[in-house]
Amino acid sequence: MITPRICQVAVLGGGVAGLATALNILDQTGKSGGNLRVTVFEADATPGGNLRTLHQDGWQLEWGANGFLDSEPATLRLVRRLGLAERLLPSSDATRHRFLLVNGRLEEIPTSPKAFLKSGMLPPGAKLRMAGELFLPARRNLGRAAEEPATDETIYEFGRRRLGREFAEVMLDPMVKGIFGGDARQLSLAAAFPRMVELEKNHGGLFRAMIALARRRKKGHKTDAGPSGTLTSFQGGMADLVAALERTIGQSGRAEIRCDSPVETLTREQDTWHVSGPGFSVGPFDAVVDATPAHTAARHLTDVAPGTAAELARIPFAPIAVVALGFDREAVGHNLNSFGLLVPSREKRDILGCLLTSSIFPGRAPDGKVLLRAMVGGATNPTVMDLDDEHLANLTLSELRPMLHLKGAPIMVRIIRHPRGIAQYLPGHLALLRQVGQDLERLPGLFLTGSSYRGIAVNACVKEAEALGRNVTRYIEGLEGCP
């Protein structure tokens, strides 16, 4: 008879991906009565990764993500599991107005086909070209990017092919910058927006897909052509999510979060894993979940799996600076019932876009004040990150003043730098992940997760944490002595 033992799992990285995965493992093994302990290793002094909320003289600033879309069931399940439902804070309905900078002027993004036809967003010829999408045949070899990397087209190539050059440059380009801080001409459609590939493959085109989905909705089916839902945060900011995860994991009695513990190397001895860093070497662990960014995971694996490490090191990251600016209400001439603005690359500006944060979420600025959140840098303009804070703030102000009709100097300035901010899914990304997956089959007990791989948003990380929690649990339950 095999004597049951305490099985050990290490989670590297205490961001939302690592914490959510740790909690899912605890919950799954708790259901099955598993005798298991989880140790989370976090390099910083506090967990959370880029999900941090800063408080400065009445201003509430997000270090990373501003929120999440409330359409992902996995995230809503996590919110309920953590007892955070009453702290949810949907974005204001008054801020549904969004703008693009077109030929030096802000144009409101139309929300209906009729409004789009009347708008000055695109010239008549470009609108006619878009209408022609209905008659274009679907591309061959759709959905084969992982197996056949040569079929992996960029987002720009897709947009131009289906809807025309003007649409790709004026509307698609800034959307990609706003989400990924990236270049639509360099990012893989299949990796970044797999739903678009699915729609063309299943329906023959985007307009055909929209018509088919509209019919399904009339029949009561829930379906969307792309990301949907309301941008949502918490009353105390995104840090509420991190704090609740930390608290719930700690209360389990079967887990520990070790902060100030940057992992440097992973080693495999017999059938177990050991985790080492400055001043510590811990193990054995039956399984390891590496939830750190790909470039960090690559360093962890240099000795034990150099080929996998080299693949992970190939995933680039775009640098991003968040420039938070505070103004008196009277100093902002633009309509405050606005979500924000994005800037297409063809406008030759340094900023990627700007959110009117205090309009989107109440309580983010003192009474009578306005909080702006501008994004600068990205994959198309990395050298702007070389500017010091003063010059970066002045550059941002010089571009925002005419757009938002700003008067005078800001009363608050805070700059947050992310030298390796957002993973960039280049063409070949899915093939790379396929190769890494094959590599991991030869490294039993090692799992990878996080925004470097299958989605950069909070929702993507939380959704993957659910599935990975089940996979790790199944692996642990199959080990000798693990009940």
Side-chain angles (χ1 to χ4, degrees):
M1 178 178 178
I2 298 173
T3 303
R5 60 185 176 85
I6 297 177
C7 298
Q8 303 279 352
V9 175
V11 176
L12 314 186
V16 65
L19 294 177
T21 301
L23 181 60
N24 275 287
I25 294 169
L26 291 167
D27 284 348
Q28 291 292 328
T29 54
K31 291 176 185 176
S32 61
N35 193 9
L36 174 141
R37 284 192 59 83
V38 175
T39 305
V40 179
F41 294 84
E42 168 54 40
D44 290 337
T46 57
N50 283 330
L51 283 194
R52 307 184 210 172
T53 304
L54 310 179
H55 298 272
Q56 179 176 323
D57 300 326
W59 306 91
Q60 186 168 300
L61 316 172
E62 295 296 348
W63 183 273
N66 218 32
F68 62 94
L69 293 175
D70 67 355
S71 54
E72 175 50 59
T75 304
L76 298 180
R77 284 192 290 269
L78 178 62
V79 167
R80 291 191 295 270
R81 167 69 177 87
L82 298 173
L84 288 176
E86 294 184 356
R87 293 191 63 79
L88 285 173
L89 184 65
S91 56
S92 171
D93 286 333
T95 61
R96 298 300 176 238
H97 305 286
R98 302 170 188 235
F99 295 84
L100 286 179
L101 188 69
V102 180
N103 298 323
R105 296 180 54 186
L106 287 183
E107 294 277 356
E108 184 171 354
I109 300 175
T111 56
S112 70
K114 183 177 180 180
F116 177 73
L117 289 173
K118 289 184 176 180
S119 76
M121 190 73 64
L122 295 177
K127 295 174 183 176
L128 187 63
R129 169 63 180 84
M130 287 180 63
E133 195 272 344
L134 186 62
F135 306 102
L136 294 178
R139 179 172 171 261
R140 295 181 180 180
N141 296 321
L142 287 166
R144 299 285 301 167
E147 297 82 6
E148 300 177 29
T151 68
D152 196 359
E153 69 180 333
T154 68
I155 299 169
Y156 177 82
E157 288 169 341
F158 167 81
R160 181 168 182 170
R161 175 172 60 82
R162 297 297 322 177
L163 295 161
R165 181 179 61 83
E166 286 287 327
F167 174 86
E169 293 184 1
V170 174
M171 304 191 75
L172 198 54
D173 166 273
M175 180 193 72
V176 172
K177 290 167 69 176
I179 297 172
F180 281 87
D183 183 354
R185 298 172 187 265
Q186 297 294 326
L187 295 185
S188 160
L189 177 75
F193 299 113
R195 179 65 167 152
M196 296 297 101
V197 176
E198 180 184 335
L199 292 176
E200 184 177 5
K201 181 179 180 181
N202 293 343
H203 301 281
L206 299 183
F207 286 161
R208 291 191 189 117
M210 292 170 66
I211 294 168
L213 296 178
R215 289 172 179 164
R216 286 179 56 82
R217 283 193 292 271
K218 285 183 179 180
K219 295 179 180 179
H221 298 284
K222 185 178 179 181
T223 182
D224 295 294
S228 62
T230 300
L231 182 66
T232 302
S233 183
F234 300 92
Q235 294 173 19
M238 293 302 289
D240 279 3
L241 180 61
V242 174
L245 280 165
E246 181 181 15
R247 181 174 60 252
T248 306
I249 290 170
Q251 289 173 348
S252 71
R254 297 185 294 133
E256 175 189 10
I257 300 176
R258 294 182 49 155
C259 294
D260 291 317
S261 299
V263 173
E264 293 180 338
T265 58
L266 282 175
T267 54
R268 185 165 174 80
E269 299 177 14
Q270 297 180 342
D271 293 326
T272 60
W273 296 88
H274 290 256
V275 175
S276 302
F280 69 89
S281 181
V282 188
F285 291 100
D286 298 282
V288 173
V289 176
D290 199 325
T292 62
H295 52 82
T296 302
R299 294 200 303 270
H300 297 161
L301 299 177
T302 298
D303 293 334
V304 70
T308 306
E311 293 288 342
L312 297 180
R314 288 173 49 204
I315 299 175
F317 285 71
I320 295 285
V322 176
V323 182
L325 302 169
F327 285 89
D328 289 319
R329 170 63 185 85
E330 296 77 15
V332 183
H334 186 73
N335 179 9
L336 291 183
N337 288 330
S338 306
F339 188 91
L341 64 95
L342 290 170
V343 182
S345 297
R346 68 195 295 179
E347 295 294 324
K348 305 298 182 184
R349 301 297 202 278
D350 285 298
I351 68 169
L352 306 176
C354 180
L355 300 178
L356 279 70
T357 304
S358 53
S359 296
I360 298 170
F361 295 117
R364 273 25 181 185
D367 291 342
K369 311 299 180 186
V370 175
L371 176 60
L372 306 177
R373 174 188 170 96
M375 285 72 70
V376 182
T380 60
N381 191 18
T383 58
V384 76
M385 300 288 288
D386 296 335
L387 296 175
D388 62 27
D389 284 0
E390 180 181 0
H391 286 89
L392 193 58
N394 288 338
L395 174 66
T396 303
L397 279 166
S398 70
E399 296 194 355
L400 284 179
R401 281 192 192 283
M403 298 182 201
L404 301 179
H405 308 292
L406 304 178
K407 303 173 186 175
I411 57 178
M412 187 279 298
V413 177
R414 179 69 182 265
I415 294 178
I416 301 166
R417 294 176 180 267
H418 300 283
R420 285 176 159 174
I422 304 175
Q424 303 294 290
Y425 301 166
L426 304 184
H429 183 79
L430 294 183
L432 182 152
L433 295 186
R434 186 168 183 259
Q435 180 60 55
V436 169
Q438 293 172 352
D439 293 347
L440 293 182
E441 292 177 2
R442 298 189 290 272
L443 297 166
L446 178 62
F447 303 85
L448 298 177
T449 191
S451 63
S452 298
Y453 308 115
R454 295 177 181 84
I456 64 169
V458 171
N459 280 346
C461 293
V462 172
K463 181 179 180 180
E464 188 167 273
E466 272 196 354
L468 187 58
R470 292 190 292 269
N471 291 341
V472 174
T473 300
R474 282 195 293 268
Y475 175 78
I476 290 294
E477 290 174 346
L479 296 178
E480 185 175 300
C482 288

